[in-house]
Amino acid sequence: MKDIEIIPSILREVIEKISELPGYGEKSAQRLALNLLNMPRGEALQIIKTLFDMLEKIHPCVECGLFTEKEICDICSSEERDRSVICVVEETFDAFAIEKTGKFNGLYHVVGGRLSPLEGITPEDLNIDKLIERVDKGNIKEVILATNPTVEGEATASYIYNLLKNKNITVSRIAYGLPFGAVLENADDFTLAKALEHKTPI
Amino acid sequence: MKDIEIIPSILREVIEKISELPGYGEKSAQRLALNLLNMPRGEALQIIKTLFDMLEKIHPCVECGLFTEKEICDICSSEERDRSVICVVEETFDAFAIEKTGKFNGLYHVVGGRLSPLEGITPEDLNIDKLIERVDKGNIKEVILATNPTVEGEATASYIYNLLKNKNITVSRIAYGLPFGAVLENADDFTLAKALEHKTPI
């Protein structure tokens, strides 16, 4: 943001910080600040408090990485889930999208991003070691790689496949019912359900 | 957001609250929450603290409505500004955009939105009475209506013009024309017609 003297420093700070978030730019940061400033102060403070509470309470599940208020998430601690299948996703919201379909009853593993040499994201930045550890503990029959059908998502799936291929388990990739370049969490339930149904062994 | 049991309630609350903000939807609310949860907790808390500080410190200037940390903003209290001209804008950031041009040295007046019967926004919801009061105090020679060139912005400018037209001051509207870098054959008819109508001698 260009240095305009009349912009209050705290407002400039907010816009600078928010516009550094992935997917945000100066205009969307301005819009967020403006929205908060334009609403009744009590309501705006309530939103800030909720964000603060979220940061206090929500952490990744120590097993699978899903965001949860507990140490171990409800899925990992459930006795009704199939504990022999792990579905690997990039982010928590991808898992939520799959849950919406009601077509998956196994466990999840959130790697927390995607391999991207351009952005300097390497395997060490992702929660992959823990996945291998879970598989090595035994009892896992299948790992479904449900990273996004994008270049980075494919690279991530491929990297994980290579780590798992000799472990005597089935490794499958979520089916291409999804158009290349799409974002998994935006897919409609039907497409996502089809993609799960037609998963193919690698 | 559909009710998925595994989504922690505080996370659902954040997404619901953020997605109610103008211009936000469920996906952009999810992205904001995810961004904050994925970054180092200390940095995320710092952003929340900055937003909180912003809400504590920033208020509309009692004269012109620009967001400021002071009671009277730097522009209204400056002795170097032309106090006979008021530029009326919809929002504070519009004024900041005009400041960036360095081409305006008068005062501002932020009405805080735009007339929109569809959204139930009437003149009473906007900071218009205070503008009339400022004009009636005297010393104002010109009011420039710089609301957005949209249907709502036009309606707002037109409404204010009718309140000011008999006050023996110049009331002008920011010019319509082709934006720099535009492709003429892609311009809409209205803009092109206005650009021709207001052609200026070289």
Side-chain angles (χ1 to χ4, degrees), chain A residues 55-68:
Chain A
L55 290 173
E56 286 275 286
K57 288 184 186 164
I58 303 274
H59 297 272
C61 167
V62 294
E63 269 303 304
C64 73
L66 272 181
F67 286 126
T68 174

Side-chain angles (χ1 to χ4, degrees), chain A residues 27-168:
Chain A
K27 292 294 170 197
S28 44
Q30 279 185 6
R31 196 180 58 195
L32 180 63
L34 190 65
N35 279 335
L36 291 170
L37 287 167
N38 273 348
M39 62 200 301
R41 211 43 59 110
E43 282 178 37
L45 285 170
Q46 192 56 45
I47 288 181
I48 304 303
K49 191 184 167 305
T50 311
L51 285 170
F52 182 80
D53 286 350
M54 174 186 82
L55 290 173
E56 286 275 286
K57 288 184 186 164
I58 303 274
H59 297 272
C61 167
V62 294
E63 269 303 304
C64 73
L66 272 181
F67 286 126
T68 174
E69 293 182 33
K70 303 168 183 168
E71 195 191 351
I72 308 264
C73 76
D74 286 345
I75 289 182
C76 283
S77 58
S78 167
E79 295 186 0
E80 287 164 16
R81 309 288 296 207
D82 180 351
R83 309 186 72 78
S84 71
V85 187
I86 294 179
C87 180
V88 176
V89 291
E90 293 182 16
E91 303 282 6
T92 282
F93 286 106
D94 299 328
F96 293 167
I98 289 173
E99 280 299 290
K100 279 188 197 174
T101 70
K103 297 287 187 189
F104 180 70
N105 193 40
L107 308 179
Y108 289 100
H109 191 86
V110 180
V111 291
R114 57 218 64 82
L115 293 180
S116 173
L118 282 176
E119 296 171 67
I121 299 171
T122 65
E124 289 70 44
D125 299 312
L126 302 180
N127 183 26
I128 293 175
D129 287 353
K130 177 73 189 178
L131 172 66
I132 308 305
E133 188 186 305
R134 289 176 75 189
V135 170
D136 285 343
K137 265 192 205 157
N139 303 321
I140 302 298
K141 291 182 188 145
E142 181 175 10
V143 170
I144 303 170
L145 300 173
T147 52
N148 283 322
T150 58
V151 174
E152 292 86 358
E154 277 301 317
T156 310
S158 173
Y159 180 86
I160 296 171
Y161 170 69
N162 281 316
L163 296 175
L164 296 176
K165 65 183 175 188
N166 295 324
K167 290 196 188 287
N168 201 26

Side-chain angles (χ1 to χ4, degrees), chain A residues 1-2 4-11 13-15 17-18 21-24 26-28 30-39 41 43-48 50-60 66-69 74-75 81 91-93 95-96 99-100 108 112 185-186 189, chain B residues 1-2 4-11 13-15 17-18 21-24 26-39 41 43-60 66-69 74-75 81 91-93 95-97 99-100 108 112:
Chain A
M1 170 158 243
K2 280 185 219 160
I4 305 298
E5 282 174 22
I6 61 160
I7 302 180
S9 58
I10 181 73
L11 186 50
E13 200 184 331
V14 163
I15 293 165
K17 285 214 167 84
I18 301 284
L21 295 178
Y24 273 77
E26 186 182 317
K27 292 294 170 197
S28 44
Q30 279 185 6
R31 196 180 58 195
L32 180 63
L34 190 65
N35 279 335
L36 291 170
L37 287 167
N38 273 348
M39 62 200 301
R41 211 43 59 110
E43 282 178 37
L45 285 170
Q46 192 56 45
I47 288 181
I48 304 303
T50 311
L51 285 170
F52 182 80
D53 286 350
M54 174 186 82
L55 290 173
E56 286 275 286
K57 288 184 186 164
I58 303 274
H59 297 272
L66 272 181
F67 286 126
T68 174
E69 293 182 33
D74 286 345
I75 289 182
R81 309 288 296 207
E91 303 282 6
T92 282
F93 286 106
F96 293 167
E99 280 299 290
K100 279 188 197 174
Y108 289 100
E185 70 169 48
N186 290 343
D189 289 2
Chain B
M1 170 157 246
K2 281 184 218 161
I4 306 297
E5 281 174 24
I6 60 160
I7 301 182
S9 59
I10 181 73
L11 186 50
E13 198 183 332
V14 163
I15 293 165
K17 285 214 165 85
I18 301 283
L21 296 176
Y24 274 76
E26 187 183 316
K27 292 295 169 192
S28 44
Q30 279 186 6
R31 196 179 58 194
L32 181 63
L34 190 65
N35 280 334
L36 291 171
L37 287 168
N38 273 347
M39 64 199 300
R41 213 40 61 109
E43 282 178 37
L45 286 170
Q46 192 56 44
I47 289 181
I48 304 304
K49 192 184 166 303
T50 311
L51 286 169
F52 182 80
D53 287 351
M54 175 187 82
L55 290 173
E56 286 275 285
K57 289 183 186 165
I58 304 275
H59 296 271
L66 271 181
F67 286 125
T68 173
E69 294 182 34
D74 286 344
I75 289 181
R81 309 288 298 206
E91 303 283 7
T92 283
F93 287 106
F96 293 166
E99 279 298 290
K100 279 188 197 172
Y108 289 99

Side-chain angles (χ1 to χ4, degrees), chain B residues 104-115:
Chain B
F104 180 70
N105 193 40
L107 307 179
Y108 289 99
H109 191 87
V110 180
V111 290
R114 57 217 66 82
L115 294 179

Side-chain angles (χ1 to χ4, degrees), chain B:
Chain B
M1 170 157 246
K2 281 184 218 161
D3 210 40
I4 306 297
E5 281 174 24
I6 60 160
I7 301 182
S9 59
I10 181 73
L11 186 50
R12 191 150 40 202
E13 198 183 332
V14 163
I15 293 165
E16 272 166 15
K17 285 214 165 85
I18 301 283
S19 60
E20 282 167 11
L21 296 176
Y24 274 76
E26 187 183 316
K27 292 295 169 192
S28 44
Q30 279 186 6
R31 196 179 58 194
L32 181 63
L34 190 65
N35 280 334
L36 291 171
L37 287 168
N38 273 347
M39 64 199 300
R41 213 40 61 109
E43 282 178 37
L45 286 170
Q46 192 56 44
I47 289 181
I48 304 304
K49 192 184 166 303
T50 311
L51 286 169
F52 182 80
D53 287 351
M54 175 187 82
L55 290 173
E56 286 275 285
K57 289 183 186 165
I58 304 275
H59 296 271
C61 166
V62 295
E63 270 301 303
C64 73
L66 271 181
F67 286 125
T68 173
E69 294 182 34
K70 303 169 183 168
E71 194 190 352
I72 307 264
C73 76
D74 286 344
I75 289 181
C76 283
S77 58
S78 167
E79 294 186 0
E80 287 164 17
R81 309 288 298 206
D82 180 349
R83 311 186 70 80
S84 70
V85 187
I86 294 178
C87 179
V88 176
V89 291
E90 293 182 17
E91 303 283 7
T92 283
F93 287 106
D94 299 329
F96 293 166
I98 291 173
E99 279 298 290
K100 279 188 197 172
T101 70
K103 297 289 185 188
F104 180 70
N105 193 40
L107 307 179
Y108 289 99
H109 191 87
V110 180
V111 290
R114 57 217 66 82
L115 294 179
S116 172
L118 282 176
E119 296 171 67
I121 300 171
T122 65
E124 289 71 42
D125 299 312
L126 301 180
N127 183 26
I128 293 175
D129 287 354
K130 177 72 190 178
L131 171 66
I132 307 305
E133 189 185 302
R134 288 176 75 189
V135 170
D136 285 342
K137 265 191 203 159
N139 301 323
I140 302 297
K141 291 180 186 146
E142 180 174 10
V143 170
I144 304 169
L145 301 172
T147 51
N148 285 323
T150 58
V151 173
E152 291 86 359
E154 275 303 315
T156 310
S158 174
Y159 179 86
I160 296 172
Y161 171 71
N162 281 316
L163 296 175
L164 294 176
K165 66 184 176 187
N166 296 324
K167 290 195 185 288
N168 202 26
I169 57 169
T170 303
V171 184
S172 29
R173 178 82 174 106
I174 197 167
Y176 272 104
L178 294 166
F180 188 80
V183 179
L184 200 132
E185 69 171 40
N186 292 340
D188 64 277
D189 292 350
F190 182 80
T191 304
L192 206 47
K194 284 286 180 187
L196 277 169
E197 187 184 333
H198 297 296
K199 66 192 157 67
T200 48
I202 301 174

